[in-house]
Amino acid sequence: MLWLCIQFPRLPLEALTRAGRKDSESTPLAVTDGNLILEANATGHARNVASGLTIATACAYCPELELLERDLERETQLLQQLAQWGYSFTPVVSPRGSAHPGEKKGKKKDQGDDGPACLFLELSGSLKANGGLAPLLQQLRKELRKMRISHVMGLGHSPSAAHLLSQLPEHRLWLEETQSPPSPQQWRQWISFAPSKLLDCNNKAIAKLYACGIKRVSQLLAIPLSEVGNRFGRSFIDYLARLNGTRPDPVPSYEPPAEFHSELFFPSPLDNSEQLLFPAGRLVRELCRQLQRRQLYSQQLCWVLDYGSRGSQQVNVEISRPLFDPQRLIALTKLQLERVTLQEPVQALALKCQQLRPLESQTLREDFFDEGSKVHESYQLIDKLKARLGHQALSGVTLKESYLPEQAWQSADSLSLHSRPRGHNLHPVNAPRPSWLLPRPDRIQQRDHKLFYDGELQLLQGPERIDGYWWQHHRHARDYYIARSELGSLYWVFQDLTSEDWFLHGVYS
């Protein structure tokens, strides 16, 4: 087993500010928890605003400091998004949230409950697909930087070991340069070298360790387990065994939902739809990266414009075929947003894809190898028209099981025209048919055994007999012909075999 622990030390701040542009970081910002400063941005730190200061003291250091109240719900939501992102690299993922203020005052835990949120990824099954350990770690860091998420990493043979080593600067330095996983001996050396204050236990246990003069993990491991158990309890011995790898270290497994959801919060609400394009582009890129790795696609992007206490507005972008090009998706989103009038300044922008579908090999073959760019251009045109005119403005045509030409087709959703229905498939008739079929047959005049419709008609080809529904009261028996008018137009005409009247039914192009 090869566990990677990714800690997110600035998640409370980034859950509220990662949507902003880099030029907005010149404003000092801080997240508060109660009356204390929880985290400040780089500009705030430069103005002596640090974690643990009271709000009054921080404002005395920096009068222009902007304060944001901690939002635990958004932190949890962002951690779930990160877990979904991690699942695109490995199927074994386990997120662990940071401490809730109420939890600290409640039930005590043997393991630490005041650390930052983190994500555990089991990487041993993903190394080959990603080109090895170094390229995989490089890709993880690259995408976290794109998402503007601060992080530290640790690699271990168990989740507990990875969590401990992620706090060790020497290990993190090694991890940035290594090309292969360390040996078990190297892991044991790092764990022994680690300060005991980095152990994943509560502050009371740490204070007790220091009171006993145990400042390194190596000192703790040198004590007989029975004596450690008497002083710190059975659960602490279990933790040490999981840390050493002598006992299994299970963590809750994450099961991603069959949907994508990501959100960006704006500390300063946006009042122009054009301003939404920049954060929308970031969300679309996150979506494309995850869908490509998980071999999924979505036919609809659902944008939610959050107006805070004044409700929200939903904007849908429909896609005909699997599409992973962020630029095209952003272009379609731009067309939709141009039609939207913002009801209020937008406080948050969310992207949801509620129905993720697996990519089928047949779909890929049609997209990339059959008729090349013509197929793509057709679907791109459909997508643009839908984005510009709306879903209701476009529809398609599909076959319907019927003998009569006027009943052998029906209107259909253009997005589902190429879905392959299960069971019986309908095939078009292999006979010349007009491109324009009249909604109702038009009677043709007859005089002296001749047909007249804008002049005399000349029968060129036929008959093609269509005789259906003889088992019903209204039998339809027709002989169809292709006829030419005096002006050269080609018509599709038929004679009703019951009444012997003639009708015009279609016009050829």
Side-chain angles (χ1 to χ4, degrees), residues 8-17 27-46 48-55 58 65-71 75 98 114-117 150:
F8 308 110
R10 308 189 73 188
L11 200 68
L13 177 68
E14 288 161 349
L16 300 175
T17 61
T27 304
L29 279 172
V31 177
T32 63
D33 189 0
N35 191 36
L36 299 177
I37 299 295
L38 185 64
E39 187 61 57
N41 65 355
T43 308
H45 278 293
N48 299 322
V49 178
S51 304
L53 291 179
T54 63
I55 294 178
L65 181 66
E66 292 188 12
L67 301 175
L68 300 171
E69 188 177 354
R70 186 182 189 185
D71 193 331
E75 286 179 41
S98 57
D114 54 353
S150 304

mmCIF file of all heavy atoms in Angstrom, residues 8-17 27-46 48-55 58 65-71 75 98 114-117 150:
data_model
loop_
_atom_site.group_PDB
_atom_site.id
_atom_site.type_symbol
_atom_site.label_atom_id
_atom_site.label_comp_id
_atom_site.label_asym_id
_atom_site.label_seq_id
_atom_site.Cartn_x
_atom_site.Cartn_y
_atom_site.Cartn_z
ATOM 1 N N PHE A 8 -4.791 20.365 3.530
ATOM 2 C CA PHE A 8 -5.211 21.664 2.981
ATOM 3 C C PHE A 8 -5.245 22.681 4.126
ATOM 4 O O PHE A 8 -6.305 22.926 4.733
ATOM 5 C CB PHE A 8 -6.591 21.555 2.331
ATOM 6 C CG PHE A 8 -6.685 20.430 1.329
ATOM 7 C CD1 PHE A 8 -7.451 19.298 1.587
ATOM 8 C CD2 PHE A 8 -5.975 20.489 0.136
ATOM 9 C CE1 PHE A 8 -7.530 18.267 0.677
ATOM 10 C CE2 PHE A 8 -6.048 19.450 -0.787
ATOM 11 C CZ PHE A 8 -6.817 18.342 -0.517
ATOM 12 N N PRO A 9 -4.088 23.257 4.458
ATOM 13 C CA PRO A 9 -4.019 24.103 5.664
ATOM 14 C C PRO A 9 -4.786 25.408 5.542
ATOM 15 O O PRO A 9 -5.097 26.026 6.561
ATOM 16 C CB PRO A 9 -2.512 24.353 5.819
ATOM 17 C CG PRO A 9 -1.939 24.158 4.447
ATOM 18 C CD PRO A 9 -2.783 23.126 3.784
ATOM 19 N N ARG A 10 -5.082 25.866 4.313
ATOM 20 C CA ARG A 10 -5.749 27.159 4.158
ATOM 21 C C ARG A 10 -7.152 27.005 3.562
ATOM 22 O O ARG A 10 -7.675 27.912 2.928
ATOM 23 C CB ARG A 10 -4.901 28.070 3.272
ATOM 24 C CG ARG A 10 -3.453 28.184 3.736
ATOM 25 C CD ARG A 10 -2.703 29.234 2.990
ATOM 26 N NE ARG A 10 -3.122 30.562 3.391
ATOM 27 C CZ ARG A 10 -2.739 31.670 2.783
ATOM 28 N NH1 ARG A 10 -1.943 31.594 1.738
ATOM 29 N NH2 ARG A 10 -3.160 32.838 3.202
ATOM 30 N N LEU A 11 -7.753 25.856 3.790
ATOM 31 C CA LEU A 11 -9.064 25.598 3.201
ATOM 32 C C LEU A 11 -10.138 26.598 3.668
ATOM 33 O O LEU A 11 -10.964 27.026 2.850
ATOM 34 C CB LEU A 11 -9.502 24.167 3.518
ATOM 35 C CG LEU A 11 -10.590 23.606 2.606
ATOM 36 C CD1 LEU A 11 -10.060 23.410 1.200
ATOM 37 C CD2 LEU A 11 -11.136 22.286 3.145
ATOM 38 N N PRO A 12 -10.186 27.012 4.957
ATOM 39 C CA PRO A 12 -11.222 27.990 5.360
ATOM 40 C C PRO A 12 -11.152 29.280 4.558
ATOM 41 O O PRO A 12 -12.189 29.855 4.220
ATOM 42 C CB PRO A 12 -10.911 28.221 6.842
ATOM 43 C CG PRO A 12 -10.225 26.982 7.288
ATOM 44 C CD PRO A 12 -9.402 26.542 6.118
ATOM 45 N N LEU A 13 -9.917 29.729 4.243
ATOM 46 C CA LEU A 13 -9.768 30.967 3.471
ATOM 47 C C LEU A 13 -10.051 30.724 1.992
ATOM 48 O O LEU A 13 -10.761 31.507 1.339
ATOM 49 C CB LEU A 13 -8.353 31.517 3.653
ATOM 50 C CG LEU A 13 -8.011 32.789 2.854
ATOM 51 C CD1 LEU A 13 -8.813 33.973 3.372
ATOM 52 C CD2 LEU A 13 -6.514 33.084 2.934
ATOM 53 N N GLU A 14 -9.535 29.637 1.451
ATOM 54 C CA GLU A 14 -9.666 29.398 0.014
ATOM 55 C C GLU A 14 -11.081 29.004 -0.392
ATOM 56 O O GLU A 14 -11.472 29.201 -1.542
ATOM 57 C CB GLU A 14 -8.655 28.324 -0.406
ATOM 58 C CG GLU A 14 -7.227 28.866 -0.378
ATOM 59 C CD GLU A 14 -6.185 27.787 -0.332
ATOM 60 O OE1 GLU A 14 -6.565 26.616 -0.114
ATOM 61 O OE2 GLU A 14 -4.998 28.107 -0.510
ATOM 62 N N ALA A 15 -11.854 28.449 0.540
ATOM 63 C CA ALA A 15 -13.256 28.150 0.219
ATOM 64 C C ALA A 15 -14.044 29.414 -0.078
ATOM 65 O O ALA A 15 -15.068 29.372 -0.755
ATOM 66 C CB ALA A 15 -13.908 27.395 1.375
ATOM 67 N N LEU A 16 -13.532 30.550 0.418
ATOM 68 C CA LEU A 16 -14.248 31.824 0.229
ATOM 69 C C LEU A 16 -13.573 32.749 -0.770
ATOM 70 O O LEU A 16 -14.185 33.722 -1.215
ATOM 71 C CB LEU A 16 -14.364 32.555 1.576
ATOM 72 C CG LEU A 16 -15.113 31.801 2.676
ATOM 73 C CD1 LEU A 16 -15.045 32.578 3.978
ATOM 74 C CD2 LEU A 16 -16.555 31.568 2.277
ATOM 75 N N THR A 17 -12.319 32.486 -1.119
ATOM 76 C CA THR A 17 -11.592 33.476 -1.925
ATOM 77 C C THR A 17 -10.992 32.913 -3.208
ATOM 78 O O THR A 17 -10.461 33.685 -4.001
ATOM 79 C CB THR A 17 -10.441 34.078 -1.103
ATOM 80 O OG1 THR A 17 -9.529 33.031 -0.722
ATOM 81 C CG2 THR A 17 -10.965 34.766 0.144
ATOM 82 N N THR A 27 -5.719 43.033 -1.677
ATOM 83 C CA THR A 27 -6.566 43.471 -0.565
ATOM 84 C C THR A 27 -6.367 42.545 0.631
ATOM 85 O O THR A 27 -6.467 41.327 0.493
ATOM 86 C CB THR A 27 -8.048 43.442 -0.986
ATOM 87 O OG1 THR A 27 -8.215 44.238 -2.159
ATOM 88 C CG2 THR A 27 -8.932 43.946 0.127
ATOM 89 N N PRO A 28 -6.059 43.109 1.823
ATOM 90 C CA PRO A 28 -5.896 42.236 3.004
ATOM 91 C C PRO A 28 -7.231 41.609 3.407
ATOM 92 O O PRO A 28 -8.228 42.310 3.581
ATOM 93 C CB PRO A 28 -5.351 43.188 4.075
ATOM 94 C CG PRO A 28 -5.754 44.538 3.627
ATOM 95 C CD PRO A 28 -5.791 44.514 2.139
ATOM 96 N N LEU A 29 -7.235 40.284 3.538
ATOM 97 C CA LEU A 29 -8.440 39.537 3.865
ATOM 98 C C LEU A 29 -8.146 38.586 5.012
ATOM 99 O O LEU A 29 -7.031 38.078 5.141
ATOM 100 C CB LEU A 29 -8.911 38.719 2.666
ATOM 101 C CG LEU A 29 -9.729 39.413 1.571
ATOM 102 C CD1 LEU A 29 -9.906 38.463 0.406
ATOM 103 C CD2 LEU A 29 -11.083 39.818 2.130
ATOM 104 N N ALA A 30 -9.137 38.318 5.810
ATOM 105 C CA ALA A 30 -8.965 37.354 6.901
ATOM 106 C C ALA A 30 -10.294 36.665 7.166
ATOM 107 O O ALA A 30 -11.361 37.266 7.021
ATOM 108 C CB ALA A 30 -8.480 38.046 8.165
ATOM 109 N N VAL A 31 -10.218 35.387 7.517
ATOM 110 C CA VAL A 31 -11.400 34.620 7.898
ATOM 111 C C VAL A 31 -11.456 34.562 9.415
ATOM 112 O O VAL A 31 -10.444 34.294 10.075
ATOM 113 C CB VAL A 31 -11.323 33.195 7.303
ATOM 114 C CG1 VAL A 31 -12.517 32.374 7.756
ATOM 115 C CG2 VAL A 31 -11.277 33.260 5.793
ATOM 116 N N THR A 32 -12.635 34.827 9.945
ATOM 117 C CA THR A 32 -12.792 34.848 11.397
ATOM 118 C C THR A 32 -13.603 33.648 11.859
ATOM 119 O O THR A 32 -14.476 33.150 11.144
ATOM 120 C CB THR A 32 -13.506 36.133 11.840
ATOM 121 O OG1 THR A 32 -14.838 36.154 11.269
ATOM 122 C CG2 THR A 32 -12.753 37.353 11.364
ATOM 123 N N ASP A 33 -13.293 33.200 13.066
ATOM 124 C CA ASP A 33 -14.055 32.132 13.711
ATOM 125 C C ASP A 33 -14.376 32.625 15.123
ATOM 126 O O ASP A 33 -13.497 32.617 15.991
ATOM 127 C CB ASP A 33 -13.226 30.849 13.740
ATOM 128 C CG ASP A 33 -14.052 29.664 14.193
ATOM 129 O OD1 ASP A 33 -15.251 29.845 14.467
ATOM 130 O OD2 ASP A 33 -13.504 28.545 14.276
ATOM 131 N N GLY A 34 -15.593 33.078 15.316
ATOM 132 C CA GLY A 34 -15.913 33.721 16.589
ATOM 133 C C GLY A 34 -15.259 35.093 16.639
ATOM 134 O O GLY A 34 -15.368 35.894 15.713
ATOM 135 N N ASN A 35 -14.470 35.319 17.695
ATOM 136 C CA ASN A 35 -13.813 36.620 17.848
ATOM 137 C C ASN A 35 -12.355 36.569 17.427
ATOM 138 O O ASN A 35 -11.603 37.515 17.660
ATOM 139 C CB ASN A 35 -13.918 37.051 19.327
ATOM 140 C CG ASN A 35 -13.515 38.490 19.533
ATOM 141 O OD1 ASN A 35 -13.783 39.342 18.672
ATOM 142 N ND2 ASN A 35 -12.834 38.776 20.641
ATOM 143 N N LEU A 36 -11.939 35.451 16.834
ATOM 144 C CA LEU A 36 -10.519 35.275 16.510
ATOM 145 C C LEU A 36 -10.285 35.221 15.010
ATOM 146 O O LEU A 36 -11.179 34.837 14.233
ATOM 147 C CB LEU A 36 -9.999 33.984 17.145
ATOM 148 C CG LEU A 36 -10.056 33.895 18.673
ATOM 149 C CD1 LEU A 36 -9.573 32.532 19.130
ATOM 150 C CD2 LEU A 36 -9.229 35.006 19.315
ATOM 151 N N ILE A 37 -9.079 35.602 14.612
ATOM 152 C CA ILE A 37 -8.660 35.459 13.218
ATOM 153 C C ILE A 37 -8.251 33.999 12.999
ATOM 154 O O ILE A 37 -7.408 33.457 13.727
ATOM 155 C CB ILE A 37 -7.464 36.383 12.908
ATOM 156 C CG1 ILE A 37 -7.858 37.854 13.119
ATOM 157 C CG2 ILE A 37 -6.981 36.155 11.484
ATOM 158 C CD1 ILE A 37 -8.925 38.361 12.178
ATOM 159 N N LEU A 38 -8.866 33.357 12.022
ATOM 160 C CA LEU A 38 -8.548 31.955 11.735
ATOM 161 C C LEU A 38 -7.455 31.841 10.678
ATOM 162 O O LEU A 38 -6.518 31.049 10.813
ATOM 163 C CB LEU A 38 -9.807 31.232 11.247
ATOM 164 C CG LEU A 38 -9.666 29.728 11.007
ATOM 165 C CD1 LEU A 38 -9.359 29.009 12.317
ATOM 166 C CD2 LEU A 38 -10.931 29.163 10.376
ATOM 167 N N GLU A 39 -7.559 32.636 9.615
ATOM 168 C CA GLU A 39 -6.568 32.571 8.539
ATOM 169 C C GLU A 39 -6.604 33.900 7.792
ATOM 170 O O GLU A 39 -7.672 34.496 7.630
ATOM 171 C CB GLU A 39 -6.873 31.414 7.581
ATOM 172 C CG GLU A 39 -5.829 31.159 6.531
ATOM 173 C CD GLU A 39 -4.476 30.793 7.114
ATOM 174 O OE1 GLU A 39 -4.407 29.819 7.880
ATOM 175 O OE2 GLU A 39 -3.506 31.504 6.811
ATOM 176 N N ALA A 40 -5.441 34.352 7.335
ATOM 177 C CA ALA A 40 -5.359 35.597 6.573
ATOM 178 C C ALA A 40 -4.627 35.339 5.276
ATOM 179 O O ALA A 40 -3.815 34.399 5.169
ATOM 180 C CB ALA A 40 -4.653 36.680 7.388
ATOM 181 N N ASN A 41 -4.898 36.158 4.260
ATOM 182 C CA ASN A 41 -4.188 35.978 2.993
ATOM 183 C C ASN A 41 -2.784 36.579 3.097
ATOM 184 O O ASN A 41 -2.396 37.139 4.140
ATOM 185 C CB ASN A 41 -4.993 36.574 1.839
ATOM 186 C CG ASN A 41 -5.140 38.081 1.930
ATOM 187 O OD1 ASN A 41 -4.715 38.701 2.917
ATOM 188 N ND2 ASN A 41 -5.728 38.671 0.930
ATOM 189 N N ALA A 42 -2.017 36.495 1.993
ATOM 190 C CA ALA A 42 -0.621 36.916 2.040
ATOM 191 C C ALA A 42 -0.498 38.403 2.357
ATOM 192 O O ALA A 42 0.392 38.820 3.128
ATOM 193 C CB ALA A 42 0.044 36.598 0.697
ATOM 194 N N THR A 43 -1.405 39.206 1.801
ATOM 195 C CA THR A 43 -1.352 40.644 2.074
ATOM 196 C C THR A 43 -1.651 40.918 3.545
ATOM 197 O O THR A 43 -1.031 41.785 4.167
ATOM 198 C CB THR A 43 -2.372 41.380 1.183
ATOM 199 O OG1 THR A 43 -2.162 41.000 -0.180
ATOM 200 C CG2 THR A 43 -2.230 42.869 1.318
ATOM 201 N N GLY A 44 -2.588 40.152 4.105
ATOM 202 C CA GLY A 44 -2.882 40.312 5.521
ATOM 203 C C GLY A 44 -1.707 39.911 6.393
ATOM 204 O O GLY A 44 -1.379 40.585 7.375
ATOM 205 N N HIS A 45 -1.050 38.794 6.025
ATOM 206 C CA HIS A 45 0.135 38.370 6.795
ATOM 207 C C HIS A 45 1.229 39.432 6.742
ATOM 208 O O HIS A 45 1.924 39.667 7.742
ATOM 209 C CB HIS A 45 0.659 37.046 6.233
ATOM 210 C CG HIS A 45 -0.080 35.855 6.760
ATOM 211 N ND1 HIS A 45 -0.019 35.465 8.088
ATOM 212 C CD2 HIS A 45 -0.896 34.979 6.149
ATOM 213 C CE1 HIS A 45 -0.778 34.392 8.271
ATOM 214 N NE2 HIS A 45 -1.329 34.069 7.110
ATOM 215 N N ALA A 46 1.366 40.066 5.569
ATOM 216 C CA ALA A 46 2.397 41.111 5.448
ATOM 217 C C ALA A 46 2.084 42.315 6.337
ATOM 218 O O ALA A 46 2.991 43.087 6.664
ATOM 219 C CB ALA A 46 2.497 41.547 3.987
ATOM 220 N N ASN A 48 0.939 41.966 9.378
ATOM 221 C CA ASN A 48 0.989 41.442 10.755
ATOM 222 C C ASN A 48 -0.321 40.830 11.231
ATOM 223 O O ASN A 48 -0.558 40.703 12.439
ATOM 224 C CB ASN A 48 1.415 42.541 11.751
ATOM 225 C CG ASN A 48 2.786 43.070 11.457
ATOM 226 O OD1 ASN A 48 3.683 42.304 11.077
ATOM 227 N ND2 ASN A 48 2.969 44.375 11.591
ATOM 228 N N VAL A 49 -1.211 40.479 10.315
ATOM 229 C CA VAL A 49 -2.448 39.790 10.698
ATOM 230 C C VAL A 49 -2.156 38.291 10.704
ATOM 231 O O VAL A 49 -1.824 37.716 9.667
ATOM 232 C CB VAL A 49 -3.587 40.117 9.719
ATOM 233 C CG1 VAL A 49 -4.850 39.359 10.111
ATOM 234 C CG2 VAL A 49 -3.849 41.614 9.676
ATOM 235 N N ALA A 50 -2.247 37.686 11.874
ATOM 236 C CA ALA A 50 -1.890 36.275 12.000
ATOM 237 C C ALA A 50 -3.029 35.509 12.663
ATOM 238 O O ALA A 50 -3.915 36.087 13.307
ATOM 239 C CB ALA A 50 -0.614 36.125 12.831
ATOM 240 N N SER A 51 -2.984 34.197 12.502
ATOM 241 C CA SER A 51 -3.989 33.327 13.115
ATOM 242 C C SER A 51 -3.919 33.435 14.629
ATOM 243 O O SER A 51 -2.831 33.520 15.208
ATOM 244 C CB SER A 51 -3.758 31.872 12.687
ATOM 245 O OG SER A 51 -3.755 31.762 11.298
ATOM 246 N N GLY A 52 -5.080 33.444 15.275
ATOM 247 C CA GLY A 52 -5.138 33.492 16.730
ATOM 248 C C GLY A 52 -5.300 34.882 17.292
ATOM 249 O O GLY A 52 -5.637 35.035 18.469
ATOM 250 N N LEU A 53 -5.069 35.917 16.464
ATOM 251 C CA LEU A 53 -5.278 37.285 16.951
ATOM 252 C C LEU A 53 -6.774 37.564 17.124
ATOM 253 O O LEU A 53 -7.607 36.996 16.416
ATOM 254 C CB LEU A 53 -4.690 38.295 15.963
ATOM 255 C CG LEU A 53 -3.173 38.378 15.819
ATOM 256 C CD1 LEU A 53 -2.817 39.430 14.773
ATOM 257 C CD2 LEU A 53 -2.517 38.707 17.147
ATOM 258 N N THR A 54 -7.091 38.424 18.053
ATOM 259 C CA THR A 54 -8.480 38.857 18.138
ATOM 260 C C THR A 54 -8.770 39.817 16.977
ATOM 261 O O THR A 54 -7.846 40.411 16.392
ATOM 262 C CB THR A 54 -8.755 39.565 19.466
ATOM 263 O OG1 THR A 54 -7.938 40.745 19.526
ATOM 264 C CG2 THR A 54 -8.434 38.663 20.653
ATOM 265 N N ILE A 55 -10.053 39.948 16.664
ATOM 266 C CA ILE A 55 -10.417 40.830 15.550
ATOM 267 C C ILE A 55 -9.991 42.263 15.838
ATOM 268 O O ILE A 55 -9.493 42.977 14.948
ATOM 269 C CB ILE A 55 -11.936 40.738 15.314
ATOM 270 C CG1 ILE A 55 -12.299 39.331 14.814
ATOM 271 C CG2 ILE A 55 -12.389 41.782 14.314
ATOM 272 C CD1 ILE A 55 -13.790 39.120 14.604
ATOM 273 N N ALA A 58 -6.244 42.573 15.230
ATOM 274 C CA ALA A 58 -5.929 42.499 13.803
ATOM 275 C C ALA A 58 -6.307 43.792 13.091
ATOM 276 O O ALA A 58 -5.549 44.289 12.243
ATOM 277 C CB ALA A 58 -6.659 41.312 13.176
ATOM 278 N N LEU A 65 -8.423 45.980 6.824
ATOM 279 C CA LEU A 65 -8.605 44.529 6.740
ATOM 280 C C LEU A 65 -10.075 44.178 6.489
ATOM 281 O O LEU A 65 -10.962 44.670 7.188
ATOM 282 C CB LEU A 65 -8.142 43.876 8.046
ATOM 283 C CG LEU A 65 -8.248 42.350 8.123
ATOM 284 C CD1 LEU A 65 -7.305 41.695 7.131
ATOM 285 C CD2 LEU A 65 -7.958 41.874 9.545
ATOM 286 N N GLU A 66 -10.319 43.334 5.469
ATOM 287 C CA GLU A 66 -11.679 42.842 5.192
ATOM 288 C C GLU A 66 -11.868 41.503 5.888
ATOM 289 O O GLU A 66 -11.023 40.617 5.767
ATOM 290 C CB GLU A 66 -11.900 42.701 3.680
ATOM 291 C CG GLU A 66 -11.923 44.024 2.951
ATOM 292 C CD GLU A 66 -12.334 43.860 1.500
ATOM 293 O OE1 GLU A 66 -12.813 42.752 1.140
ATOM 294 O OE2 GLU A 66 -12.161 44.822 0.727
ATOM 295 N N LEU A 67 -12.985 41.368 6.593
ATOM 296 C CA LEU A 67 -13.243 40.173 7.383
ATOM 297 C C LEU A 67 -14.327 39.321 6.732
ATOM 298 O O LEU A 67 -15.348 39.838 6.291
ATOM 299 C CB LEU A 67 -13.668 40.563 8.802
ATOM 300 C CG LEU A 67 -12.658 41.403 9.594
ATOM 301 C CD1 LEU A 67 -13.257 41.825 10.924
ATOM 302 C CD2 LEU A 67 -11.362 40.618 9.821
ATOM 303 N N LEU A 68 -14.086 38.021 6.677
ATOM 304 C CA LEU A 68 -15.061 37.066 6.161
ATOM 305 C C LEU A 68 -15.335 36.037 7.240
ATOM 306 O O LEU A 68 -14.393 35.504 7.847
ATOM 307 C CB LEU A 68 -14.528 36.354 4.902
ATOM 308 C CG LEU A 68 -14.174 37.243 3.708
ATOM 309 C CD1 LEU A 68 -13.459 36.424 2.642
ATOM 310 C CD2 LEU A 68 -15.439 37.857 3.130
ATOM 311 N N GLU A 69 -16.583 35.768 7.489
ATOM 312 C CA GLU A 69 -16.931 34.782 8.509
ATOM 313 C C GLU A 69 -16.726 33.378 7.969
ATOM 314 O O GLU A 69 -17.056 33.082 6.809
ATOM 315 C CB GLU A 69 -18.381 34.975 8.943
ATOM 316 C CG GLU A 69 -18.762 34.124 10.133
ATOM 317 C CD GLU A 69 -20.187 34.394 10.583
ATOM 318 O OE1 GLU A 69 -20.811 35.324 10.038
ATOM 319 O OE2 GLU A 69 -20.668 33.679 11.481
ATOM 320 N N ARG A 70 -16.172 32.519 8.775
ATOM 321 C CA ARG A 70 -15.909 31.144 8.337
ATOM 322 C C ARG A 70 -17.212 30.458 7.928
ATOM 323 O O ARG A 70 -18.230 30.570 8.616
ATOM 324 C CB ARG A 70 -15.249 30.353 9.467
ATOM 325 C CG ARG A 70 -14.807 28.967 9.050
ATOM 326 C CD ARG A 70 -14.208 28.210 10.212
ATOM 327 N NE ARG A 70 -13.600 26.972 9.757
ATOM 328 C CZ ARG A 70 -13.086 26.054 10.566
ATOM 329 N NH1 ARG A 70 -13.105 26.235 11.870
ATOM 330 N NH2 ARG A 70 -12.536 24.967 10.064
ATOM 331 N N ASP A 71 -17.162 29.740 6.807
ATOM 332 C CA ASP A 71 -18.335 29.042 6.294
ATOM 333 C C ASP A 71 -18.021 27.548 6.238
ATOM 334 O O ASP A 71 -17.410 27.054 5.283
ATOM 335 C CB ASP A 71 -18.695 29.573 4.902
ATOM 336 C CG ASP A 71 -20.069 29.117 4.445
ATOM 337 O OD1 ASP A 71 -20.493 28.033 4.861
ATOM 338 O OD2 ASP A 71 -20.714 29.843 3.667
ATOM 339 N N GLU A 75 -16.678 24.877 3.196
ATOM 340 C CA GLU A 75 -15.455 24.074 3.378
ATOM 341 C C GLU A 75 -15.747 22.602 3.108
ATOM 342 O O GLU A 75 -14.996 21.913 2.409
ATOM 343 C CB GLU A 75 -14.924 24.250 4.800
ATOM 344 C CG GLU A 75 -14.251 25.573 5.063
ATOM 345 C CD GLU A 75 -13.772 25.679 6.489
ATOM 346 O OE1 GLU A 75 -13.237 24.681 7.010
ATOM 347 O OE2 GLU A 75 -13.958 26.748 7.103
ATOM 348 N N SER A 98 -11.866 19.194 8.606
ATOM 349 C CA SER A 98 -11.221 19.870 9.731
ATOM 350 C C SER A 98 -12.182 19.925 10.901
ATOM 351 O O SER A 98 -13.340 19.526 10.805
ATOM 352 C CB SER A 98 -10.794 21.280 9.314
ATOM 353 O OG SER A 98 -11.916 22.000 8.839
ATOM 354 N N ASP A 114 -8.017 18.866 15.688
ATOM 355 C CA ASP A 114 -7.904 20.279 15.388
ATOM 356 C C ASP A 114 -6.987 20.529 14.207
ATOM 357 O O ASP A 114 -6.533 21.641 14.003
ATOM 358 C CB ASP A 114 -7.398 21.043 16.621
ATOM 359 C CG ASP A 114 -6.113 20.466 17.163
ATOM 360 O OD1 ASP A 114 -5.685 19.403 16.669
ATOM 361 O OD2 ASP A 114 -5.527 21.080 18.062
ATOM 362 N N GLY A 115 -6.683 19.524 13.416
ATOM 363 C CA GLY A 115 -5.826 19.699 12.259
ATOM 364 C C GLY A 115 -6.616 20.160 11.056
ATOM 365 O O GLY A 115 -7.841 20.188 11.052
ATOM 366 N N PRO A 116 -5.905 20.540 10.001
ATOM 367 C CA PRO A 116 -6.599 20.958 8.775
ATOM 368 C C PRO A 116 -7.246 19.772 8.067
ATOM 369 O O PRO A 116 -6.924 18.607 8.323
ATOM 370 C CB PRO A 116 -5.473 21.562 7.936
ATOM 371 C CG PRO A 116 -4.234 20.909 8.435
ATOM 372 C CD PRO A 116 -4.446 20.637 9.896
ATOM 373 N N ALA A 117 -8.147 20.094 7.168
ATOM 374 C CA ALA A 117 -8.776 19.043 6.360
ATOM 375 C C ALA A 117 -7.728 18.387 5.475
ATOM 376 O O ALA A 117 -6.720 19.000 5.093
ATOM 377 C CB ALA A 117 -9.877 19.650 5.511
ATOM 378 N N SER A 150 -3.994 25.552 -1.620
ATOM 379 C CA SER A 150 -2.713 25.334 -0.930
ATOM 380 C C SER A 150 -2.697 23.936 -0.337
ATOM 381 O O SER A 150 -3.731 23.430 0.119
ATOM 382 C CB SER A 150 -2.525 26.373 0.176
ATOM 383 O OG SER A 150 -2.626 27.674 -0.348
#
